[in-house]
Amino acid sequence: MKKVCVVGLGYIGLPTSAIFANAGFEVVGVDVNEKVVQTLNTGEIHIEENGLPELFKKVVQEGKFRASLVPEKADVFIIAVPTPIHEDYTANIDYVVDATKSIVPYLEKGNVVIVESTIPPRTMDDVVAPIIREHGLDPEKDIYLAHCPERVLPGRILIELVENTRIVGGVTKEAAKKAADVYRAIVKGEVIETEAVTAEMSKLMENTFRDVNIALANELVKISQRIGVDAHKVIELANKHPRVNIHLPGPGVGGHCLAVDPYFIIEKAKEESPLIQTARRINNSMPYFVVEQIQRMTAELASPKVAIFGLTYKGNTDDVRESPAIKIYELLKQHSRFEVRAYDPHVKQEQVSFPLSTLEEAVHGAHLVVVLADHNEFKNMKAEDFAAMKTKVIFDTKNCVHLNDESITVYKIGNLYSVKAIQE
């Protein structure tokens, strides 16, 4: 196993390519975006991830990685393309289907084919395997076909690709073993072999567990506002119990995993998943809840100026996929009385469809700053950063702002019962 072809060069495919290349494999990365391919072949990257620019430049200069618009023959094929959802919340596996079809002309007997994309249960058996069979190869005898879902944290991807346990589900036992051996060449953590459908479900349940837990915390926020208690303090004290781990509340759930993966289970077993569906409804309601609080805070203002701080779904990344912050911005813009400005030091203008402001532009004359991402830049803000505000009020939905200045009022999302309308 000397050559790896990775299809999809986004937040997972690109770091995965870099790790394999750094381990000595010849890696060809495939993407449909010509601009991305051109950028990568210069040694530069198009995403933000700790440590990746340096590692990627190194493997390109060493000739271990090159990008292409089309696949090539290889020993191992890894599919790492997005799996979004349709408007009806069913899984959109078109990219996985297209990626599989793109590699079949290059497949040979004995190749290992791995899908890392998060997929609904039975996708490997019912969708991917038949595509390979239609091409004239037996996915149970000629090809080693497996699912190995990514399970990494943005900001720590290069570390966790190597250190985390990997679950490898094969269409056959032999496929699980062959695919697992591919990862054992780069992974220091445990590599566990299982069936494809079990691997599919394990990834979905990892993220569903977190989504349900966050929904519990977000429901607590709403209850706390009603009865007059600080949800953050409640969670802090409850978590001192050795068997309790309530997650943190926030403005909603975003990203390519938590906000999407539960629907893959719901789609396959709607009657059996009422708890998962309720959690999704709670978390999807949070942007509306945040906007309601902004309306409460600005009720006495004729033309409130609101500065949105943070557009990503997660702190210290540039990832805006499914971000509740984007939804909140759009909801505010629907109200003609609001003047809304958006600032995020990690997001580039081409990533969003509305104008971005600098820090100075966002706070100048603002009545309210709404913090929607826990970037380090926001955790380390000083009182002087808000000097140009008209009324110095901050609504911190991520519990990350730590200011000790009596001239600035900070409302936390877990402590909203004390909110008073802003007065000019």
Side-chain angles (χ1 to χ4, degrees):
M1 298 295 176
K2 296 180 180 180
K3 184 176 180 180
V4 178
C5 178
V6 179
V7 182
L9 296 175
Y11 289 93
I12 300 302
L14 187 60
T16 298
S17 297
I19 291 291
F20 273 104
N22 194 51
F25 289 83
E26 177 189 352
V27 180
V28 57
V30 180
D31 201 279
V32 296
N33 189 319
E34 187 172 354
K35 183 179 178 181
V36 166
V37 169
Q38 291 173 348
T39 299
L40 295 177
N41 281 330
T42 68
E44 301 298 321
I45 65 173
H46 60 293
I47 60 174
E48 184 177 294
E49 178 59 38
N50 291 337
L52 185 58
E54 299 82 4
L55 178 62
F56 185 74
K57 186 178 288 291
K58 172 179 177 287
V59 297
V60 170
Q61 290 175 344
E62 292 175 349
K64 290 295 185 180
F65 174 92
R66 55 191 167 80
S68 173
L69 290 168
V70 294
E72 298 178 6
K73 288 186 177 182
D75 303 303
V76 180
F77 293 83
I78 297 176
I79 293 173
V81 295
T83 46
I85 50 176
H86 294 292
E87 288 187 7
D88 64 356
Y89 297 110
T90 57
N92 181 350
I93 59 171
D94 290 350
Y95 296 119
V96 173
V97 170
D98 290 344
T100 305
K101 289 180 177 179
S102 77
I103 66 171
V104 288
Y106 305 93
L107 291 181
E108 297 177 342
K109 288 186 177 182
N111 284 168
V112 178
V113 177
I114 301 165
V115 176
E116 286 204 4
S117 306
T118 305
I119 47 181
R122 295 205 56 82
T123 299
M124 295 300 297
D125 291 289
D126 297 346
V127 178
V128 178
I131 293 173
I132 293 173
R133 186 175 290 110
E134 288 171 7
H135 183 66
L137 291 170
D138 189 335
E140 295 184 3
K141 296 179 180 178
D142 300 330
I143 300 294
Y144 300 105
L145 181 61
H147 176 52
C148 181
E150 58 83 12
R151 48 211 313 255
V152 293
L153 183 69
R156 287 178 46 86
I157 292 178
L158 293 182
I159 297 171
E160 297 199 354
L161 279 175
V162 174
E163 295 183 356
N164 285 7
T165 297
R166 297 303 295 260
I167 310 297
V168 182
V171 170
T172 63
K173 286 186 177 180
E174 293 78 12
K177 172 67 166 62
K178 281 284 188 178
D181 286 344
V182 172
Y183 288 99
R184 289 184 179 113
I186 62 166
V187 172
K188 295 179 181 177
E190 187 178 6
V191 180
I192 300 172
E193 300 168 24
T194 186
E195 307 84 13
V197 68
T198 304
E200 290 165 337
M201 277 298 292
S202 68
K203 170 59 189 288
L204 297 178
M205 283 308 298
E206 289 171 16
N207 290 325
T208 298
F209 164 79
R210 294 173 62 204
D211 190 54
V212 172
N213 197 317
I214 293 169
L216 178 64
N218 284 335
E219 189 165 273
L220 172 61
V221 162
K222 297 180 178 181
I223 295 169
S224 298
Q225 182 188 13
R226 174 65 63 88
I227 67 177
V229 66
D230 185 339
H232 297 298
K233 191 65 176 177
V234 170
I235 292 171
E236 177 189 348
L237 296 179
N239 283 350
K240 291 186 181 296
H241 189 289
R243 290 174 295 281
V244 174
N245 180 28
I246 303 172
H247 288 7
L248 299 177
V253 172
H256 63 297
C257 289
L258 272 64
V260 175
D261 294 359
Y263 291 118
F264 294 1
I265 299 174
I266 294 168
E267 176 184 345
K268 297 293 185 178
K270 191 168 186 178
E271 294 298 320
E272 294 78 14
S273 57
L275 175 62
I276 298 172
Q277 294 175 59
T278 300
R280 282 280 73 233
R281 284 194 294 271
I282 293 170
N283 288 334
N284 283 343
S285 76
M286 290 308 291
Y288 298 91
F289 178 78
V290 168
V291 171
E292 288 173 7
Q293 308 316 308
I294 294 171
Q295 290 174 318
R296 284 179 61 207
M297 294 175 193
T298 61
E300 300 296 322
L301 303 174
S303 300
K305 296 179 177 63
V306 178
I308 298 296
F309 272 35
L311 294 169
T312 63
Y313 84 91
K314 184 177 181 59
N316 303 317
T317 74
D318 65 344
D319 197 341
V320 298
R321 290 176 294 176
E322 309 295 332
S323 174
I326 303 292
K327 180 68 173 179
I328 290 166
Y329 178 92
E330 293 171 345
L331 289 172
L332 288 172
K333 290 295 288 184
Q334 292 174 12
H335 296 271
S336 58
R337 61 187 288 261
F338 288 109
E339 179 183 328
V340 190
R341 304 163 190 164
Y343 164 65
D344 192 310
H346 293 262
V347 175
K348 301 179 182 68
Q349 182 60 68
E350 57 265 27
Q351 292 179 259
V352 293
S353 60
F354 47 82
L356 295 179
S357 300
T358 63
L359 172 63
E360 294 75 16
E361 291 168 344
V363 300
H364 183 75
H367 296 96
L368 175 66
V369 166
V370 183
V371 178
L372 298 175
D374 52 348
H375 297 318
N376 288 341
E377 290 88 342
F378 302 157
K379 295 177 183 179
N380 299 321
M381 288 186 299
K382 305 290 190 260
E384 51 264 32
D385 293 323
F386 305 99
M389 292 183 70
K390 194 164 189 179
T391 55
K392 297 178 182 179
V393 182
I394 299 173
F395 178 18
D396 178 11
T397 71
K398 300 295 287 186
N399 196 28
C400 69
V401 175
H402 306 289
L403 294 172
N404 188 19
D405 191 294
E406 293 182 356
S407 69
I408 301 176
T409 301
V410 179
Y411 294 118
K412 305 282 188 175
I413 196 169
N415 189 17
L416 293 170
Y417 61 89
S418 61
V419 166
K420 295 179 181 178
I422 299 170
Q423 304 289 331
E424 288 202 64

